[in-house]
Amino acid sequence: MRWWGWGDPAHPPGLPAHALEFLRETVGLAERPHPPVALEHVRLPTPATSAEQLAALRAIVGAEHVRDGHAERVLHAAGKGYPDLLRLRTGEPEGAPDAVVYPDGHEQLRALLELCARSSLAVVPFGGGTSVVGGVAPLRGEHSGVLALDLSRMSEVIELDERSATVKVKAGIRAPALERHLAARGLTLGHFPQSFEYVSLGGCAATRSAGQASSGYGAIEKMVLGLRLAAPAAEIHLPAIPASAAGPSLRQLLVGSEGTLGVISELALRVRPAPRERIYEGFFFEDFAAGEETLRTLAREHALPEVARLSDEQETRMSLALAGSGGIKGRVGRAYLQLRGYSGGCIAILGFEGDGEELAGRRRRALALVREHGGLAVGRAPGEAWSKGRFAAPYLRDELLTHGVMVETLETAAQWSDLPALHRTVGAAIAAALEASGTPGLVMCHLSHVYETGASLYFTLIARQREGDELEQWRAVKQAAGEAIMAGGGTITHHHAVGRDHARWMEREIGSGGLAALRALKAELDPAGIMNPGKLLELSAG
């Protein structure tokens, strides 16, 4: 992973010349590129851990698994959110862990957490490092130091129970490694978030990740059947039982706990047969409202495909512009011309996965409903292109940052009755905040993660950076969007998690009583308050 951005350092630049020209005309580019500084020029605070603390850590995991070198600390200094990358690229991260520790299993985790509680060392669990909401920021709060607890050594498949369709894994395993293991046996987890290439399964569970195919496979909380948690003052082991009425679900309390209660060390996950066929295709709708009503009907009639995404007019326009003059744009353009009298238009991607007649039957039923609602099929080219590039957006963000362009995403979910107004008001709030900053831009949205009662809205904004004041520009947009989401009946986050960026809205989301209950659970499991300070339950810690 690049220390200053996303993914493989060998990955080629992702923006062709025509795309840069479109962005120059619509939002504006910097006069000259702004590449990241060299790694050796990144400034970090002096490590605060004592020789005695380091020796105690090494006694638990081995000397080679406690590292405090410059590069190691930079790699664990932040996640991949917009403010994280702004700071890293200029060589001024907000902070860094004093050391990075690599345990190999649950027992070492327990020993480390007990030691850190005694030594007043804050602990930040670190899976793939892909958080976009400040979830892995190395905040120490009131503690003497802060450690990054990297789980990459905890990456084994413990057991695959094919009869029960359950796999047990250590929580540090990366999603691609698990999929390869399952694919060799004709199985899949079916969890493909945009961060799929790097994310750990423990991180997915800790943040209630959704995955792009959630309409078919369900989000991660539907897949977690059991887990094991190491906390500073206790441990919790929940076996993989298909259902239980034994009190409130502790599993659901721990899924989404974001490392604030302890560290998920093991997971038991539901798996399914891998599909033999995947059909991803595009459809055009007259407007966003028509497409939204179609997806609502598919959900109500239990006819949803595995992937269901609807872009609004602005996102559709942007997608076609960046696609260039041929390929997808040509195919969609020819079909769109058939929509006589339409002044706008929105593209949807529907992805069907399965086998033989079962897949064909589901697809026929869904497509009949799409046609009844005015959807125009534009072939498989758009769907196949989306599937091929489904993990590419973070690379594009890196390129845009180099050219002085602000790129941010945020998401919410609400009931169908609230979605149309929420789409309008959140988009308007973002646009107004950008106008007020003197940098008007593009505000786009797509609808995905579809349920019988509602769906998720995923916003993307692109604007010229306000040079020298980039963080304040971002804060203004984030505040405006968050307030509009709360006022409009949405959740502050559907799948990005709370982290640091959304913590200020938690009380409004779950109420003071709910927040007090979660804090009471934290006090029981983490009485010294060392677990991931400043996230989820706390407004700030520095």
Side-chain angles (χ1 to χ4, degrees), residues 3 12 62 79 86 159 169-170 180 221 233 291 362 373 375 396 399 442 445 510:
W3 63 265
L86 281 180
E159 179 187 14
V169 300
K170 289 189 177 181
R180 288 192 297 269
E221 69 265 20
R362 282 197 298 118
H373 286 77
L396 300 179
E399 286 297 303
L442 299 175
C445 183
I510 66 173

Side-chain angles (χ1 to χ4, degrees), residues 139 157 211:
L139 307 178
V157 174

Side-chain angles (χ1 to χ4, degrees), residues 192-211:
F192 301 99
Q194 193 172 75
S195 54
F196 171 78
E197 295 170 304
Y198 293 94
V199 77
S200 71
L201 268 301
C204 288
T207 57
R208 298 187 78 89
S209 171

Side-chain angles (χ1 to χ4, degrees), residues 454-495:
S456 168
L457 293 174
Y458 191 100
F459 292 87
T460 302
L461 60 104
I462 299 178
R464 180 174 52 82
Q465 288 180 336
R466 196 166 67 191
E467 193 166 353
D469 201 19
E470 295 90 347
L471 279 173
E472 190 53 44
Q473 178 191 29
W474 171 82
R475 290 188 186 101
V477 170
K478 190 72 175 178
Q479 180 68 21
E483 289 299 312
I485 287 170
M486 289 283 98
T491 174
I492 197 59
T493 176
H494 172 262
H495 58 268

